[in-house]
Amino acid sequence: MRCPFCGNEDTQVKDSRPTEDNTATRRRRQCPTCKGRFTTFERIQLRELSVVKSNGQRVPFERDKMLRSMEIALRKRPVAPERIDQIVTAIVRRLESLGETEIPSSVIGEMVMETLSGLDQVAYVRFASVYRNFGEKKDFEEFIGGLADRDD
């Protein structure tokens, strides 16, 4: 593992332990050159996933990109960071269990929306506004109107 501070290729593992939900291994590492300490996480990857974007472009799936987008939607909401990580892990497992290596971005977006819908309505609207590309006030009104109809 390359040191993020000095770039040295040879780092030492000082401590390893499973995460709370046992979905990853947390490793504390130290660089023998600069003595910098950092943490890495090792996760099981069942298959190599690619995302097929709406324009047909294929890009490697990035778990961290999904995590960041959910963290942005859930910013200042009462959801613990550990819970967000668990949710992202669950979505990744669902994607891997589809049996496909190429996943349309729309499938990923809908899974995230479905999850946020049950978790936090504000985060759901935030994510939807970006995912569905709301451009005007009426887009929000129509979407929120649909939420109100669903709750009745």
Side-chain angles (χ1 to χ4, degrees):
M1 176 65 56
R2 175 177 287 153
C3 174
F5 306 112
C6 71
N8 181 22
E9 296 277 342
D10 183 33
T11 59
Q12 299 168 343
V13 175
K14 294 298 183 183
D15 180 46
S16 290
R17 62 181 68 170
T19 56
E20 287 181 24
D21 59 359
N22 286 319
T23 60
T25 301
R26 177 184 182 272
R27 298 193 195 284
R28 285 293 294 159
R29 296 179 178 268
Q30 182 172 10
C31 175
T33 304
C34 72
K35 305 294 185 221
R37 289 181 170 251
F38 58 100
T39 301
T40 60
F41 290 89
E42 181 179 305
R43 298 182 193 287
I44 294 173
Q45 183 174 344
L46 298 177
R47 66 182 74 233
E48 196 73 30
L49 298 176
S50 294
V51 179
V52 181
K53 297 191 167 218
S54 57
N55 65 5
Q57 180 185 10
R58 286 163 171 69
V59 296
F61 174 78
E62 295 179 46
R63 180 189 189 281
D64 289 340
K65 187 174 179 180
M66 181 191 302
L67 177 64
R68 280 191 310 272
S69 67
M70 290 188 69
E71 286 173 338
I72 290 168
L74 287 159
R75 188 171 288 147
K76 296 186 181 182
R77 301 300 301 154
V79 180
E82 298 81 25
R83 180 73 179 123
I84 300 170
D85 195 65
Q86 291 170 349
I87 291 166
V88 169
T89 298
I91 292 172
V92 171
R93 291 288 170 256
R94 282 178 58 197
L95 291 169
E96 291 173 334
S97 70
L98 292 175
E100 301 291 328
T101 56
E102 293 186 342
I103 312 289
S105 60
S106 59
V107 170
I108 297 169
E110 291 301 324
M111 280 187 182
V112 171
M113 295 229 341
E114 174 187 317
T115 302
L116 288 175
S117 171
L119 181 67
D120 186 286
Q121 291 292 298
V122 171
Y124 175 57
V125 172
R126 287 176 177 170
F127 187 87
S129 71
V130 174
Y131 174 67
R132 298 250 168 94
N133 200 19
F134 292 175
E136 301 177 15
K137 178 182 161 196
K138 70 177 178 64
D139 296 332
F140 281 97
E141 291 170 348
E142 289 171 6
F143 185 77
I144 292 174
L147 287 178
D149 293 344
R150 206 172 67 181
D151 290 341
D152 291 340

Tab-separated table of all heavy atoms in Angstrom, residues 60-103:
chain	number	residue	atom	x	y	z
A	60	PRO	N	-15.884	2.313	-14.824
A	60	PRO	CA	-15.839	1.417	-13.664
A	60	PRO	C	-16.749	1.943	-12.542
A	60	PRO	O	-16.831	3.149	-12.315
A	60	PRO	CB	-14.378	1.446	-13.222
A	60	PRO	CG	-13.617	1.977	-14.381
A	60	PRO	CD	-14.561	2.848	-15.147
A	61	PHE	N	-17.428	1.026	-11.861
A	61	PHE	CA	-18.264	1.391	-10.716
A	61	PHE	C	-17.358	1.850	-9.587
A	61	PHE	O	-16.339	1.230	-9.295
A	61	PHE	CB	-19.103	0.193	-10.260
A	61	PHE	CG	-19.870	0.471	-9.000
A	61	PHE	CD1	-21.021	1.219	-9.034
A	61	PHE	CD2	-19.422	-0.007	-7.779
A	61	PHE	CE1	-21.737	1.491	-7.872
A	61	PHE	CE2	-20.122	0.258	-6.616
A	61	PHE	CZ	-21.277	1.006	-6.665
A	62	GLU	N	-17.736	2.965	-8.933
A	62	GLU	CA	-16.973	3.487	-7.804
A	62	GLU	C	-17.871	3.574	-6.577
A	62	GLU	O	-18.761	4.419	-6.511
A	62	GLU	CB	-16.420	4.879	-8.123
A	62	GLU	CG	-15.409	4.904	-9.243
A	62	GLU	CD	-14.927	6.309	-9.534
A	62	GLU	OE1	-14.605	7.045	-8.571
A	62	GLU	OE2	-14.895	6.670	-10.720
A	63	ARG	N	-17.622	2.697	-5.617
A	63	ARG	CA	-18.384	2.680	-4.376
A	63	ARG	C	-18.303	4.034	-3.682
A	63	ARG	O	-19.289	4.548	-3.168
A	63	ARG	CB	-17.839	1.584	-3.463
A	63	ARG	CG	-18.550	1.471	-2.138
A	63	ARG	CD	-17.818	0.509	-1.205
A	63	ARG	NE	-18.606	0.243	-0.031
A	63	ARG	CZ	-18.695	1.073	1.008
A	63	ARG	NH1	-18.057	2.231	1.007
A	63	ARG	NH2	-19.450	0.754	2.051
A	64	ASP	N	-17.101	4.623	-3.680
A	64	ASP	CA	-16.900	5.905	-2.989
A	64	ASP	C	-17.712	7.029	-3.617
A	64	ASP	O	-18.133	7.954	-2.922
A	64	ASP	CB	-15.417	6.275	-2.966
A	64	ASP	CG	-14.615	5.385	-2.025
A	64	ASP	OD1	-15.223	4.771	-1.130
A	64	ASP	OD2	-13.389	5.318	-2.187
A	65	LYS	N	-17.949	6.965	-4.906
A	65	LYS	CA	-18.757	7.994	-5.567
A	65	LYS	C	-20.209	7.909	-5.069
A	65	LYS	O	-20.840	8.926	-4.786
A	65	LYS	CB	-18.699	7.810	-7.085
A	65	LYS	CG	-19.361	8.905	-7.858
A	65	LYS	CD	-19.141	8.736	-9.349
A	65	LYS	CE	-19.826	9.822	-10.126
A	65	LYS	NZ	-19.640	9.678	-11.566
A	66	MET	N	-20.721	6.683	-4.937
A	66	MET	CA	-22.074	6.505	-4.397
A	66	MET	C	-22.122	6.981	-2.951
A	66	MET	O	-23.065	7.673	-2.549
A	66	MET	CB	-22.512	5.042	-4.475
A	66	MET	CG	-23.919	4.827	-3.945
A	66	MET	SD	-24.389	3.104	-3.729
A	66	MET	CE	-24.187	2.459	-5.349
A	67	LEU	N	-21.108	6.631	-2.176
A	67	LEU	CA	-21.056	7.047	-0.776
A	67	LEU	C	-21.063	8.570	-0.668
A	67	LEU	O	-21.828	9.138	0.120
A	67	LEU	CB	-19.804	6.465	-0.103
A	67	LEU	CG	-19.565	6.863	1.345
A	67	LEU	CD1	-20.677	6.329	2.245
A	67	LEU	CD2	-18.216	6.349	1.815
A	68	ARG	N	-20.248	9.243	-1.475
A	68	ARG	CA	-20.201	10.713	-1.432
A	68	ARG	C	-21.546	11.331	-1.779
A	68	ARG	O	-21.994	12.280	-1.140
A	68	ARG	CB	-19.123	11.239	-2.384
A	68	ARG	CG	-17.721	11.182	-1.841
A	68	ARG	CD	-16.729	11.950	-2.705
A	68	ARG	NE	-16.792	11.637	-4.117
A	68	ARG	CZ	-16.125	10.657	-4.722
A	68	ARG	NH1	-15.345	9.868	-4.019
A	68	ARG	NH2	-16.230	10.460	-6.021
A	69	SER	N	-22.208	10.805	-2.798
A	69	SER	CA	-23.496	11.390	-3.196
A	69	SER	C	-24.543	11.197	-2.106
A	69	SER	O	-25.357	12.089	-1.855
A	69	SER	CB	-23.971	10.814	-4.525
A	69	SER	OG	-24.287	9.462	-4.406
A	70	MET	N	-24.496	10.056	-1.427
A	70	MET	CA	-25.450	9.846	-0.328
A	70	MET	C	-25.099	10.724	0.871
A	70	MET	O	-25.994	11.243	1.542
A	70	MET	CB	-25.506	8.373	0.052
A	70	MET	CG	-26.165	7.537	-1.043
A	70	MET	SD	-26.454	5.855	-0.577
A	70	MET	CE	-27.736	6.041	0.637
A	71	GLU	N	-23.806	10.892	1.143
A	71	GLU	CA	-23.406	11.767	2.243
A	71	GLU	C	-23.854	13.209	1.981
A	71	GLU	O	-24.285	13.898	2.903
A	71	GLU	CB	-21.885	11.721	2.430
A	71	GLU	CG	-21.396	10.449	3.071
A	71	GLU	CD	-19.879	10.329	3.094
A	71	GLU	OE1	-19.195	10.988	2.283
A	71	GLU	OE2	-19.379	9.542	3.918
A	72	ILE	N	-23.763	13.650	0.739
A	72	ILE	CA	-24.215	15.006	0.399
A	72	ILE	C	-25.720	15.128	0.627
A	72	ILE	O	-26.192	16.091	1.227
A	72	ILE	CB	-23.841	15.359	-1.052
A	72	ILE	CG1	-22.324	15.537	-1.163
A	72	ILE	CG2	-24.579	16.608	-1.525
A	72	ILE	CD1	-21.807	15.592	-2.582
A	73	ALA	N	-26.469	14.133	0.164
A	73	ALA	CA	-27.933	14.167	0.343
A	73	ALA	C	-28.312	14.121	1.822
A	73	ALA	O	-29.298	14.727	2.234
A	73	ALA	CB	-28.579	13.009	-0.408
A	74	LEU	N	-27.522	13.413	2.621
A	74	LEU	CA	-27.842	13.237	4.034
A	74	LEU	C	-27.126	14.243	4.952
A	74	LEU	O	-27.218	14.118	6.176
A	74	LEU	CB	-27.483	11.810	4.468
A	74	LEU	CG	-28.441	10.740	3.942
A	74	LEU	CD1	-27.798	9.366	3.953
A	74	LEU	CD2	-29.730	10.748	4.748
A	75	ARG	N	-26.452	15.221	4.361
A	75	ARG	CA	-25.735	16.220	5.156
A	75	ARG	C	-26.698	16.924	6.108
A	75	ARG	O	-27.782	17.338	5.722
A	75	ARG	CB	-25.074	17.234	4.235
A	75	ARG	CG	-24.152	18.196	4.994
A	75	ARG	CD	-23.336	19.052	4.074
A	75	ARG	NE	-22.315	18.211	3.441
A	75	ARG	CZ	-21.857	18.391	2.215
A	75	ARG	NH1	-22.317	19.369	1.475
A	75	ARG	NH2	-20.936	17.585	1.719
A	76	LYS	N	-26.290	17.011	7.362
A	76	LYS	CA	-27.065	17.659	8.430
A	76	LYS	C	-28.400	16.973	8.694
A	76	LYS	O	-29.344	17.596	9.182
A	76	LYS	CB	-27.263	19.147	8.144
A	76	LYS	CG	-25.970	19.923	8.136
A	76	LYS	CD	-26.205	21.400	7.985
A	76	LYS	CE	-24.873	22.126	7.969
A	76	LYS	NZ	-25.040	23.562	7.866
A	77	ARG	N	-28.486	15.689	8.369
A	77	ARG	CA	-29.675	14.897	8.670
A	77	ARG	C	-29.304	13.921	9.786
A	77	ARG	O	-28.131	13.588	9.962
A	77	ARG	CB	-30.166	14.133	7.434
A	77	ARG	CG	-30.515	15.013	6.242
A	77	ARG	CD	-31.619	16.018	6.532
A	77	ARG	NE	-32.838	15.380	6.957
A	77	ARG	CZ	-33.759	15.953	7.708
A	77	ARG	NH1	-33.609	17.178	8.130
A	77	ARG	NH2	-34.847	15.304	8.043
A	78	PRO	N	-30.288	13.433	10.550
A	78	PRO	CA	-29.982	12.582	11.708
A	78	PRO	C	-29.680	11.126	11.322
A	78	PRO	O	-30.353	10.194	11.770
A	78	PRO	CB	-31.268	12.689	12.548
A	78	PRO	CG	-32.345	12.904	11.529
A	78	PRO	CD	-31.711	13.753	10.460
A	79	VAL	N	-28.657	10.935	10.494
A	79	VAL	CA	-28.248	9.589	10.089
A	79	VAL	C	-26.746	9.480	10.328
A	79	VAL	O	-25.973	10.291	9.808
A	79	VAL	CB	-28.580	9.307	8.607
A	79	VAL	CG1	-28.145	7.911	8.207
A	79	VAL	CG2	-30.074	9.492	8.345
A	80	ALA	N	-26.345	8.487	11.113
A	80	ALA	CA	-24.930	8.302	11.467
A	80	ALA	C	-24.106	7.901	10.242
A	80	ALA	O	-24.593	7.162	9.382
A	80	ALA	CB	-24.805	7.233	12.543
A	81	PRO	N	-22.869	8.358	10.161
A	81	PRO	CA	-21.998	7.985	9.039
A	81	PRO	C	-21.839	6.467	8.884
A	81	PRO	O	-21.762	5.961	7.766
A	81	PRO	CB	-20.656	8.630	9.393
A	81	PRO	CG	-20.992	9.746	10.314
A	81	PRO	CD	-22.225	9.308	11.061
A	82	GLU	N	-21.825	5.750	10.011
A	82	GLU	CA	-21.709	4.295	9.952
A	82	GLU	C	-22.930	3.677	9.255
A	82	GLU	O	-22.814	2.711	8.520
A	82	GLU	CB	-21.567	3.686	11.361
A	82	GLU	CG	-20.338	4.127	12.103
A	82	GLU	CD	-20.485	5.505	12.758
A	82	GLU	OE1	-21.629	5.941	13.054
A	82	GLU	OE2	-19.442	6.161	12.938
A	83	ARG	N	-24.080	4.266	9.509
A	83	ARG	CA	-25.323	3.786	8.880
A	83	ARG	C	-25.282	4.020	7.377
A	83	ARG	O	-25.699	3.166	6.595
A	83	ARG	CB	-26.528	4.496	9.515
A	83	ARG	CG	-27.855	4.083	8.943
A	83	ARG	CD	-28.250	2.680	9.390
A	83	ARG	NE	-29.533	2.352	8.820
A	83	ARG	CZ	-29.761	1.302	8.059
A	83	ARG	NH1	-28.807	0.444	7.811
A	83	ARG	NH2	-30.955	1.074	7.565
A	84	ILE	N	-24.769	5.174	6.954
A	84	ILE	CA	-24.654	5.468	5.526
A	84	ILE	C	-23.738	4.441	4.864
A	84	ILE	O	-24.054	3.914	3.799
A	84	ILE	CB	-24.130	6.905	5.290
A	84	ILE	CG1	-25.081	7.934	5.904
A	84	ILE	CG2	-23.940	7.165	3.802
A	84	ILE	CD1	-24.528	9.347	5.940
A	85	ASP	N	-22.627	4.132	5.518
A	85	ASP	CA	-21.686	3.150	4.975
A	85	ASP	C	-22.345	1.776	4.858
A	85	ASP	O	-22.159	1.074	3.857
A	85	ASP	CB	-20.437	3.070	5.857
A	85	ASP	CG	-19.307	2.363	5.163
A	85	ASP	OD1	-18.805	2.884	4.145
A	85	ASP	OD2	-18.922	1.268	5.624
A	86	GLN	N	-23.130	1.392	5.859
A	86	GLN	CA	-23.848	0.114	5.806
A	86	GLN	C	-24.838	0.082	4.656
A	86	GLN	O	-24.974	-0.931	3.964
A	86	GLN	CB	-24.586	-0.138	7.122
A	86	GLN	CG	-23.694	-0.411	8.300
A	86	GLN	CD	-24.460	-0.406	9.621
A	86	GLN	OE1	-25.619	-0.005	9.696
A	86	GLN	NE2	-23.794	-0.849	10.677
A	87	ILE	N	-25.527	1.179	4.440
A	87	ILE	CA	-26.510	1.263	3.358
A	87	ILE	C	-25.822	1.132	2.008
A	87	ILE	O	-26.295	0.399	1.127
A	87	ILE	CB	-27.307	2.585	3.457
A	87	ILE	CG1	-28.218	2.558	4.686
A	87	ILE	CG2	-28.093	2.854	2.187
A	87	ILE	CD1	-28.790	3.900	5.065
A	88	VAL	N	-24.702	1.828	1.838
A	88	VAL	CA	-23.960	1.747	0.575
A	88	VAL	C	-23.479	0.313	0.348
A	88	VAL	O	-23.596	-0.217	-0.760
A	88	VAL	CB	-22.785	2.749	0.550
A	88	VAL	CG1	-21.869	2.495	-0.629
A	88	VAL	CG2	-23.320	4.168	0.513
A	89	THR	N	-22.986	-0.331	1.391
A	89	THR	CA	-22.547	-1.726	1.269
A	89	THR	C	-23.705	-2.621	0.843
A	89	THR	O	-23.542	-3.482	-0.027
A	89	THR	CB	-21.946	-2.216	2.610
A	89	THR	OG1	-20.794	-1.423	2.901
A	89	THR	CG2	-21.543	-3.679	2.545
A	90	ALA	N	-24.874	-2.391	1.421
A	90	ALA	CA	-26.048	-3.198	1.056
A	90	ALA	C	-26.440	-2.979	-0.410
A	90	ALA	O	-26.780	-3.934	-1.119
A	90	ALA	CB	-27.220	-2.864	1.977
A	91	ILE	N	-26.384	-1.734	-0.873
A	91	ILE	CA	-26.715	-1.452	-2.278
A	91	ILE	C	-25.696	-2.117	-3.200
A	91	ILE	O	-26.064	-2.716	-4.218
A	91	ILE	CB	-26.798	0.071	-2.537
A	91	ILE	CG1	-28.001	0.658	-1.802
A	91	ILE	CG2	-26.903	0.357	-4.033
A	91	ILE	CD1	-28.059	2.178	-1.824
A	92	VAL	N	-24.406	-2.041	-2.850
A	92	VAL	CA	-23.366	-2.679	-3.665
A	92	VAL	C	-23.602	-4.182	-3.737
A	92	VAL	O	-23.494	-4.785	-4.816
A	92	VAL	CB	-21.957	-2.350	-3.133
A	92	VAL	CG1	-20.889	-3.183	-3.836
A	92	VAL	CG2	-21.654	-0.870	-3.292
A	93	ARG	N	-23.957	-4.796	-2.616
A	93	ARG	CA	-24.238	-6.241	-2.611
A	93	ARG	C	-25.423	-6.561	-3.520
A	93	ARG	O	-25.420	-7.560	-4.236
A	93	ARG	CB	-24.514	-6.743	-1.189
A	93	ARG	CG	-23.324	-6.729	-0.295
A	93	ARG	CD	-22.321	-7.819	-0.670
A	93	ARG	NE	-21.092	-7.646	0.054
A	93	ARG	CZ	-19.965	-7.161	-0.460
A	93	ARG	NH1	-19.909	-6.812	-1.711
A	93	ARG	NH2	-18.888	-7.031	0.269
A	94	ARG	N	-26.451	-5.708	-3.474
A	94	ARG	CA	-27.612	-5.912	-4.362
A	94	ARG	C	-27.199	-5.819	-5.822
A	94	ARG	O	-27.630	-6.620	-6.656
A	94	ARG	CB	-28.704	-4.879	-4.071
A	94	ARG	CG	-29.518	-5.190	-2.828
A	94	ARG	CD	-30.550	-4.134	-2.527
A	94	ARG	NE	-31.495	-3.912	-3.606
A	94	ARG	CZ	-32.267	-2.836	-3.705
A	94	ARG	NH1	-32.209	-1.882	-2.797
A	94	ARG	NH2	-33.107	-2.714	-4.708
A	95	LEU	N	-26.355	-4.847	-6.138
A	95	LEU	CA	-25.876	-4.691	-7.516
A	95	LEU	C	-25.070	-5.913	-7.948
A	95	LEU	O	-25.239	-6.422	-9.055
A	95	LEU	CB	-25.026	-3.430	-7.649
A	95	LEU	CG	-25.757	-2.103	-7.508
A	95	LEU	CD1	-24.762	-0.947	-7.401
A	95	LEU	CD2	-26.715	-1.892	-8.670
A	96	GLU	N	-24.199	-6.393	-7.073
A	96	GLU	CA	-23.382	-7.563	-7.394
A	96	GLU	C	-24.238	-8.812	-7.555
A	96	GLU	O	-23.941	-9.671	-8.382
A	96	GLU	CB	-22.321	-7.786	-6.309
A	96	GLU	CG	-21.249	-6.720	-6.299
A	96	GLU	CD	-20.283	-6.835	-5.139
A	96	GLU	OE1	-20.656	-7.390	-4.083
A	96	GLU	OE2	-19.159	-6.345	-5.267
A	97	SER	N	-25.312	-8.894	-6.786
A	97	SER	CA	-26.167	-10.085	-6.844
A	97	SER	C	-27.076	-10.100	-8.071
A	97	SER	O	-27.734	-11.111	-8.337
A	97	SER	CB	-26.992	-10.212	-5.567
A	97	SER	OG	-27.965	-9.198	-5.508
A	98	LEU	N	-27.115	-8.991	-8.824
A	98	LEU	CA	-27.915	-8.981	-10.052
A	98	LEU	C	-27.355	-9.951	-11.085
A	98	LEU	O	-28.054	-10.350	-12.018
A	98	LEU	CB	-27.968	-7.567	-10.651
A	98	LEU	CG	-28.726	-6.507	-9.867
A	98	LEU	CD1	-28.563	-5.143	-10.532
A	98	LEU	CD2	-30.194	-6.874	-9.748
A	99	GLY	N	-26.090	-10.310	-10.935
A	99	GLY	CA	-25.472	-11.257	-11.853
A	99	GLY	C	-24.937	-10.623	-13.123
A	99	GLY	O	-24.436	-11.312	-13.991
A	100	GLU	N	-25.038	-9.315	-13.233
A	100	GLU	CA	-24.555	-8.596	-14.409
A	100	GLU	C	-23.271	-7.856	-14.048
A	100	GLU	O	-23.106	-7.414	-12.910
A	100	GLU	CB	-25.602	-7.576	-14.883
A	100	GLU	CG	-26.935	-8.175	-15.243
A	100	GLU	CD	-26.876	-9.028	-16.500
A	100	GLU	OE1	-26.079	-8.712	-17.397
A	100	GLU	OE2	-27.625	-10.014	-16.560
A	101	THR	N	-22.386	-7.710	-15.014
A	101	THR	CA	-21.187	-6.924	-14.768
A	101	THR	C	-21.368	-5.485	-15.232
A	101	THR	O	-20.659	-4.601	-14.790
A	101	THR	CB	-19.956	-7.533	-15.467
A	101	THR	OG1	-20.232	-7.649	-16.850
A	101	THR	CG2	-19.622	-8.886	-14.876
A	102	GLU	N	-22.330	-5.244	-16.120
A	102	GLU	CA	-22.624	-3.896	-16.592
A	102	GLU	C	-24.007	-3.487	-16.081
A	102	GLU	O	-25.003	-4.122	-16.407
A	102	GLU	CB	-22.574	-3.823	-18.114
A	102	GLU	CG	-21.180	-4.043	-18.658
A	102	GLU	CD	-21.094	-3.820	-20.151
A	102	GLU	OE1	-22.146	-3.828	-20.838
A	102	GLU	OE2	-19.971	-3.627	-20.645
A	103	ILE	N	-24.028	-2.432	-15.287
A	103	ILE	CA	-25.259	-1.971	-14.645
A	103	ILE	C	-25.609	-0.592	-15.187
A	103	ILE	O	-24.783	0.322	-15.113
A	103	ILE	CB	-25.086	-1.875	-13.112
A	103	ILE	CG1	-24.460	-3.125	-12.522
A	103	ILE	CG2	-26.403	-1.519	-12.443
A	103	ILE	CD1	-25.321	-4.337	-12.506
